[in-house]
Amino acid sequence: MTETMFQASVRMPVRAARTSLLSRVLASWQGRIGGGIVTFFTLMAVFAPWITPHSPTEVDFMSVMVVPTLEHPFGTDEVGRDILSRVILGARTSLLVVVAATLISSVAGAAIGLVAGWVGGWVDTLVMRVMDAMLAFPLIVLALAIIAVLGPSLTNAIIAIGIVKIPHFARLMRGEVLTLRTLDYIKAVETMGLGLPRILLRHVLPNAAGPVLVYMSIAASLALMTEASLSFLGLGIQPPTPSWGGMVSVGMQNWHFWWMSFYPGLAIFITVLAFNLLGDAIRDAMDRRLS
Amino acid sequence: MRRVLDPVLQIVPTVLVVSLIAFLLTSLLPGDAALSRLGLDATQEQLDTMREQMGLNDPVPVRYLYWLGRAVTGDLGNSLRSGEPVAEVLARRIPVTLELAVFGTGLALLIGVPLGILAAVRRDSWIDVATNLFALSGMAIPFFWLGLLLIMFFSLHLQWLPPSGYVPFFENPVRNLHLMALPSLTIAVAFAATLMRQTRASMLEVLNADYIRTAHAKGTPPIRVILHHALRNALIPIITVLGLQMGTLLGGAIVTETVFGLPGLGRMMVDGIYKRDFPIVQGALITIVVAIVVTNLLTDLCYRFVNPRIR
């Protein structure tokens, strides 16, 4: 009896310490709302072709720029396409850009930071100088400059947005690596004479990955915003592929028909907000686990 | 003297790398600069002479050094479309973006700092919750969408302000201010949100300090404690954020200029990309980034002088 009670009282804190990151994230209202909307957005993007109430590409000159009604809850655009359907399909474009661009920047940035931080010396100085110079450019300005070279398209938008976030991940990773290098267990694997790739990939990377993963949520929100801005300027996703930024831009030329720009813009706003909230929640959850 | 000189010298490599990136990006632009200068009916001979004259046959490092040498003396080349010197185009465009940035920063300070103080002083009250919601929304709202909403409300619905256009300040100050009001507000909101969060955080830190309790105990009026004792010490991180956000502000200006039809640096860059006019893109790019690097430097210097504890 006493023994079981003792065990129980000992186990409690152990289990509490093991609570998964996910449940800690979902414990905060930011995590629940942000996570909920991001999940909704992802499902909407994945199932887009099956859930649009109308065809997002079908032109209907009998119902051009129709005010929102039950038939078309978000109204129709300048060639009679259903805006709700286009907003749903636009989520797909946005998700593709966000996921692909964030993968490019996190993988490339982490690799650069890992090598620069580990090797040190002039390689580190040179690489970080270039990263700092890239950070001096506002995201949208550097992305525009890259688009100027590559030309506007979906693939190039992904590449441009992927590249502009590389320095952020590189700096983050480098900082982690510099801290890890001083720790005994990393010194130990070095002394054991393991190969460099094995040390970096098996021992350094997994222990430095936490902050990088946290930052991905913030990077996703910035990627979404940058894609929307590029498409709004006409230098991102090209029509007829529906993109939220591009739809706002068309709506701007017809601003008496408010719904044309209002709903796609609202979609960008809510999704960016959700990614920010989720990012805050993940950061707080990690902080609490560390402390 | 070292306090001023060190940070100044530190930005030299950054500016060099920035100029190299800008040069490489734009010298990689597809399309033949000689062809776009001469037009499609140019003969092969004319094209070859033009390429030689423009130095397009030289290796890239040589072209970079020539370009850098000319850029330092203020010669950024000529527009490929109009033949106008890029420096002259910049001279016309910079005041527009500068005015937008100054008004935007001013408005952001007027909105963000008082709200931040209020949120910190009335911590956990409905004011704190409301300002937090404002900050969250302000940071997530796209500049172009906010600009459109403002146009729809203030120009189309209330008909108070014109929706778009630009008149130089010295030509017609009243009309200029009317036209700049909505764009300035558009870029101010996101900035105000960041400033508000920073003001709240640094005020909260300071308000818990012993010397604030002492000031209260002495019977100093609460307003004076907040503004004179607390805010002064909370200002340093606020100044830092002000400088660091200049990039976001100028990035926002690019998009905002498009919404409101303002002929600034951002519009110059976007139009340059559309027209494949690379000296124009290069000029706008360099100006924006140098402005940001210099602002960061000034912030750094300000910081050192405001806070004597930092050496």
Side-chain angles (χ1 to χ4, degrees):
Chain A
M1 178 68 189
T2 9
E3 209 184 299
T4 50
M5 269 181 75
F6 176 72
Q7 271 184 350
S9 67
V10 166
R11 238 180 227 155
M12 280 300 283
V14 172
R15 198 176 280 169
R18 275 196 195 144
T19 353
S20 70
L21 186 65
L22 184 70
S23 68
R24 275 167 179 269
V25 168
L26 292 180
S28 65
W29 69 269
Q30 287 97 330
R32 282 198 298 273
I33 296 184
I37 298 175
V38 169
T39 312
F40 177 76
F41 160 78
T42 312
L43 290 177
M44 185 164 97
V46 170
F47 295 105
W50 299 280
I51 55 173
T52 49
H54 296 269
S55 157
T57 47
E58 197 182 87
V59 175
D60 178 4
F61 287 107
M62 297 306 282
S63 52
V64 170
M65 297 199 263
V66 172
V67 193
T69 54
L70 274 182
E71 173 72 10
H72 299 285
F74 289 3
T76 63
D77 68 4
E78 78 284 2
V79 287
R81 291 173 301 195
D82 180 49
I83 290 182
L84 173 61
S85 306
R86 289 182 68 73
V87 168
I88 293 174
L89 206 66
R92 202 164 229 232
T93 324
S94 295
L95 183 76
L96 175 68
V97 174
V98 167
V99 171
T102 311
L103 274 179
I104 292 178
S105 36
S106 54
V107 171
I112 291 173
L114 192 64
V115 172
W118 190 265
V119 176
W122 66 269
V123 176
D124 183 38
T125 315
L126 184 72
V127 168
M128 292 327 278
R129 271 277 171 236
V130 174
M131 294 294 128
D132 284 346
M134 282 172 76
L135 283 173
F137 291 81
L139 288 184
I140 182 78
V141 173
L142 190 54
L144 278 174
I146 297 171
I147 290 292
V149 179
L150 301 175
S153 78
L154 176 68
T155 322
N156 294 344
I158 292 174
I159 295 173
I161 298 168
I163 292 177
V164 299
K165 290 298 291 172
I166 287 177
H168 303 77
F169 281 102
R171 282 191 120 183
L172 203 62
M173 195 61 176
R174 177 178 173 269
E176 287 300 309
V177 172
L178 289 183
T179 319
L180 281 175
R181 276 212 88 156
T182 62
L183 299 182
D184 286 339
Y185 73 95
I186 296 293
K187 282 188 193 146
V189 287
E190 260 192 290
T191 326
M192 280 161 66
L194 293 183
L196 188 61
R198 198 178 152 91
I199 297 178
L200 289 184
L201 297 178
R202 282 291 303 270
H203 300 277
V204 179
L205 188 63
N207 292 298
V212 174
L213 292 176
V214 173
Y215 190 69
M216 284 178 93
S217 184
I218 301 296
S221 119
L222 287 167
L224 185 70
M225 190 70 111
T226 311
E227 181 270 311
S229 305
L230 284 179
S231 301
F232 172 78
L233 293 172
L235 294 165
I237 317 296
Q238 299 298 302
T241 310
S243 74
W244 294 340
M247 291 170 77
V248 175
S249 156
V250 173
M252 190 181 77
Q253 288 141 31
N254 308 285
W255 59 33
H256 285 280
F257 308 95
W258 58 269
W259 57 90
M260 285 178 62
S261 51
F262 180 79
Y263 291 108
L266 187 66
I268 303 168
F269 173 53
I270 291 177
T271 317
V272 171
L273 186 64
F275 273 112
N276 286 349
L277 287 175
L278 189 61
D280 283 356
I282 297 178
R283 192 199 50 215
D284 290 350
M286 292 284 283
D287 269 0
R288 237 172 293 153
R289 202 164 65 161
L290 292 175
S291 61
Chain B
M1 199 55 213
R2 280 189 66 86
R3 274 164 79 192
V4 181
L5 217 59
D6 275 355
V8 173
L9 289 179
Q10 266 172 19
I11 70 164
V12 173
T14 312
V15 170
L16 277 180
V17 181
V18 161
S19 74
L20 186 61
I21 294 177
F23 173 81
L24 284 179
L25 277 177
T26 34
S27 72
L28 290 173
L29 268 183
D32 187 336
L35 189 66
S36 61
R37 175 82 65 89
L38 291 171
L40 284 173
D41 353 291
T43 62
Q44 191 56 44
E45 245 168 74
Q46 281 174 315
L47 280 175
D48 289 340
T49 338
M50 186 51 111
R51 280 196 195 113
E52 194 58 51
Q53 265 177 18
M54 292 173 80
L56 291 176
N57 294 334
D58 295 333
V60 171
V62 175
R63 281 167 60 194
Y64 171 66
L65 288 178
Y66 270 123
W67 174 81
L68 190 67
R70 285 195 308 267
V72 173
T73 58
D75 175 11
L76 288 160
N78 301 320
S79 159
L80 293 182
R81 297 286 151 164
S82 62
E84 198 184 354
V86 173
E88 278 176 30
V89 181
L90 280 173
R92 242 187 359 256
R93 301 289 189 133
I94 291 174
V96 184
T97 306
L98 189 66
E99 192 186 349
L100 189 59
V102 169
F103 283 163
T105 312
L107 268 176
L109 278 170
L110 284 178
I111 303 170
V113 175
L115 282 183
I117 297 174
L118 213 61
V121 175
R122 299 259 177 277
R123 193 184 180 175
D124 294 330
S125 71
W126 67 268
I127 299 178
D128 194 13
V129 175
T131 47
N132 188 29
L133 285 179
F134 164 76
L136 283 170
S137 318
M139 285 189 276
I141 201 162
F143 289 104
F144 53 89
W145 191 57
L146 177 63
L148 270 175
L149 294 183
L150 290 175
I151 290 178
M152 284 174 186
F153 188 69
F154 288 102
S155 304
L156 302 180
H157 184 68
L158 295 175
Q159 307 209 322
W160 284 359
L161 292 163
S164 72
Y166 179 74
V167 175
F169 182 79
F170 294 104
E171 218 174 284
N172 185 346
V174 179
R175 179 85 187 146
N176 170 279
L177 292 181
H178 267 132
L179 285 163
M180 292 304 274
L182 291 182
S184 309
L185 186 59
T186 305
I187 62 168
V189 167
F191 201 8
T194 322
L195 278 175
M196 200 225 95
R197 279 202 151 179
Q198 184 59 55
T199 308
R200 180 182 179 275
S202 46
M203 278 298 278
L204 279 180
E205 220 167 89
V206 174
L207 284 174
N208 283 328
D210 286 340
Y211 71 90
I212 295 293
R213 206 182 320 143
T214 314
H216 277 299
K218 280 197 310 191
T220 317
I223 297 271
R224 198 177 145 77
V225 175
I226 291 163
L227 293 184
H228 193 80
H229 297 246
L231 185 60
R232 267 200 172 183
N233 282 290
L235 267 182
I236 293 160
I238 300 175
I239 292 176
T240 312
V241 169
L242 203 60
L244 288 179
Q245 286 292 310
M246 203 40 67
T248 319
L249 188 81
L250 286 181
I254 290 187
V255 181
T256 309
E257 281 169 11
T258 299
V259 179
F260 292 94
L262 296 174
L265 282 174
R267 207 48 244 177
M268 174 176 166
M269 189 170 165
V270 174
D271 286 342
I273 295 175
Y274 275 128
K275 293 179 187 155
R276 313 214 129 272
D277 193 344
F278 72 81
I280 289 283
V281 178
Q282 228 166 30
L285 190 64
I286 296 263
T287 312
I288 293 170
V289 184
V290 168
I292 290 166
V293 174
V294 171
T295 319
N296 285 346
L297 172 69
L298 290 178
T299 317
D300 194 13
L301 292 178
C302 249
Y303 192 87
R304 279 157 200 263
F305 281 108
V306 171
N307 189 353
R309 279 166 288 193
I310 294 185
R311 292 280 149 179

